[in-house]
Amino acid sequence: MRTFNAEMSKSYRVYIGRKILRTTATHLKKLGFSSRAVIITNKTVNKLYGSILEENLNKNGFEILLIEVPDTERSKSMGTALRIYDELISHRIEREAPVIAFGGGVVGDLAGYVSATFLRGLPLIHLPTTLLAQVDSCIGGKTAVNYLNFKNIVGVFKNPEIVLIDPDLLQTLPEREIKNGVAEIIKYGVIGDPSLFSLLEKRMDDIFESDPLFLEEIIYRCCKIKIDIVEKDERETGLRRILNYGHTIGHAIETASNFAISHGEAVAIGMCAAGRIAEKLGIFNDVERQERLIKIAGFSINLSNFDVEDLIRIMHFDKKVKNSKINFVLPRRIGDVVIRDNIPKKILLETIKGLR
């Protein structure tokens, strides 16, 4: 097992190790929780692992309220949040009851948002079940829901009490969900860890074969990179923005596709676009290397079904826009990136058209 602290405005501990799911109650009791708990999950996760978590909590004296949401990006909405509020009110949930986010990125964002806003704040426990959530979204305190078809446009910062990451939960993950996580892992290699990028070039197959020891190492490295960044800039006023590498165009692709394209697929295309923009600006010479790894991971780099002007319009609604300028995270080399807000529209148009 690996464990480390996240030193934020509210610090918390992260645990990474096999079979952690079966020790959830022990960790909750150490934090002082002992009576009621809310589990927010989806149908898929509940069917596979819900009974294990419930049995562990029930045997240790917890009364459980389990709330199941559909396994889709559309669940991350104000409507779903309101339905959960109704459930919490009808079951008279009090401030001391922890909310366990038991699922992937959608569940983590949704449960985090609900826990931050109901009764002005319930304790939050992250128990992520997808590779994307384990390497990225369970760390850092961001919560959000989508609104008016814009991704993550309504949200708050909410740090958890604890993060429990069990790589064994990835054994049942479909390949598309593994790919979603791989996109974020590649991101971490590009923004801050060239040795991780090189490791992926050599051992990508071990991720898709769900080698548990290798996955534990990869998850640990990604979480440490993110924590090191977020500790320096918790509220995303500067450095933390580099974590959005590939996400500016990526989020626009997700929105324009009505979320038919997954987050990982969109971010992979977004990273390719950022690399090509950086190449056109003369600051990046590893476009082919980056795109080769993205293709090895199984991603298709194709925007033929998208309207270029529509993508740019959507980008202007992105949270990272400042003074009406779109911020782009651009690579200078593998392991080093820079933020630019002065990308000529001509270069942006040429880049997106070049991906069609």
Side-chain angles (χ1 to χ4, degrees):
M1 180 186 291
R2 299 166 188 259
T3 182
F4 48 87
N5 284 334
E7 301 292 345
M8 313 292 178
S9 56
K10 174 183 174 55
S11 296
Y12 53 93
R13 198 147 186 84
V14 179
Y15 293 85
I16 306 170
R18 303 181 67 184
K19 312 300 181 190
I20 280 180
L21 174 62
R22 300 175 186 274
T23 66
T24 303
T26 300
H27 288 287
L28 293 187
K29 286 194 166 186
K30 286 181 180 178
L31 291 168
F33 304 116
S34 60
S35 55
R36 305 183 76 188
V38 179
I39 300 172
I40 298 178
T41 188
N42 63 47
K43 184 176 182 179
T44 303
V45 173
N46 192 28
K47 183 178 179 180
L48 289 168
Y49 301 110
S51 61
I52 297 173
L53 179 57
E54 284 195 77
E55 182 180 355
N56 175 256
L57 292 170
N58 286 331
K59 280 186 175 180
N60 286 273
F62 284 90
E63 178 189 338
I64 304 302
L65 169 61
L66 188 141
I67 299 173
E68 195 178 274
V69 300
D71 190 7
T72 170
E73 178 75 22
R74 292 184 179 279
S75 294
K76 207 169 83 173
S77 68
M78 294 295 284
T80 307
L82 292 173
R83 180 174 71 80
I84 295 173
Y85 294 151
D86 288 344
E87 290 266 2
L88 299 178
I89 291 169
S90 67
H91 287 84
R92 299 182 180 274
I93 295 299
E94 300 175 354
R95 275 185 174 175
E96 293 74 23
V99 173
I100 302 173
F102 189 41
V106 168
V107 166
D109 277 355
L110 175 63
Y113 179 76
V114 167
S115 73
T117 52
F118 187 76
L119 296 178
R120 297 200 179 107
L122 301 178
L124 174 65
I125 313 296
H126 273 305
L127 215 172
T129 63
T130 65
L131 185 58
L132 186 152
Q134 292 189 359
V135 301
D136 184 73
S137 61
C138 70
I139 301 291
K142 282 187 176 180
T143 78
V145 294
N146 306 328
Y147 184 62
L148 296 180
N149 211 36
F150 292 107
K151 188 174 175 72
N152 296 339
I153 202 164
V154 178
V156 295
F157 286 93
K158 168 73 172 178
N159 284 317
E161 305 296 317
I162 195 171
V163 177
L164 303 173
I165 300 175
D166 189 340
D168 281 354
L169 301 181
L170 305 179
Q171 299 298 314
T172 53
L173 206 61
E175 183 174 301
R176 191 185 188 200
E177 288 296 332
I178 294 175
K179 284 172 63 178
N180 279 334
V182 167
E184 295 289 350
I185 297 168
I186 292 172
K187 176 193 79 175
Y188 282 112
V190 177
I191 69 171
D193 191 345
S195 66
L196 173 60
F197 193 95
S198 297
L199 185 63
L200 294 174
E201 290 176 310
K202 297 171 185 173
R203 298 189 60 184
M204 183 66 75
D205 286 348
D206 288 333
I207 293 179
F208 284 94
E209 290 169 5
S210 297
D211 180 323
L213 294 178
F214 185 60
L215 284 171
E216 186 174 318
E217 170 67 20
I218 294 294
I219 293 164
Y220 172 77
R221 290 177 69 162
C222 291
C223 287
K224 281 294 291 178
I225 293 168
K226 185 165 187 178
I227 285 173
D228 288 346
I229 292 169
V230 176
E231 284 179 341
K232 297 181 179 72
D233 179 23
E234 186 174 351
R235 293 304 176 107
E236 200 174 34
T237 58
L239 177 65
R240 182 171 180 166
R241 290 185 294 167
I242 70 173
L243 293 169
N244 294 311
Y245 180 59
H247 287 59
T248 301
I249 292 178
H251 280 171
I253 293 168
E254 284 185 86
T255 299
S257 74
N258 202 20
F259 302 108
I261 291 183
S262 72
H263 181 72
E265 292 165 334
V267 168
I269 298 171
M271 288 190 290
C272 291
R276 293 187 186 190
I277 290 170
E279 183 182 51
K280 291 178 186 295
L281 294 174
I283 63 172
F284 185 53
N285 297 318
D286 277 323
V287 167
E288 289 186 10
R289 185 183 176 197
Q290 176 181 252
E291 292 190 7
R292 183 166 56 248
L293 182 59
I294 288 170
K295 288 176 181 177
I296 288 171
F299 291 106
S300 173
I301 307 167
N302 190 326
L303 286 177
S304 58
N305 294 324
F306 292 88
D307 179 84
V308 177
E309 291 289 349
D310 189 42
L311 289 175
I312 293 175
R313 179 190 65 80
I314 295 170
M315 278 184 249
H316 277 286
F317 285 91
D318 192 271
K319 302 181 302 302
K320 298 172 284 296
V321 169
K322 188 175 182 180
N323 297 323
S324 299
K325 294 181 179 179
I326 304 171
N327 282 275
F328 285 91
V329 183
L330 303 177
R332 292 189 288 201
R333 57 183 175 272
I334 301 299
D336 181 40
V337 293
V338 65
I339 299 171
R340 294 279 182 89
D341 66 358
N342 58 348
I343 309 303
K345 186 174 181 180
K346 179 183 177 182
I347 288 180
L348 186 55
L349 287 169
E350 288 176 354
T351 300
I352 296 175
K353 287 178 180 177
L355 292 168
R356 300 179 76 191

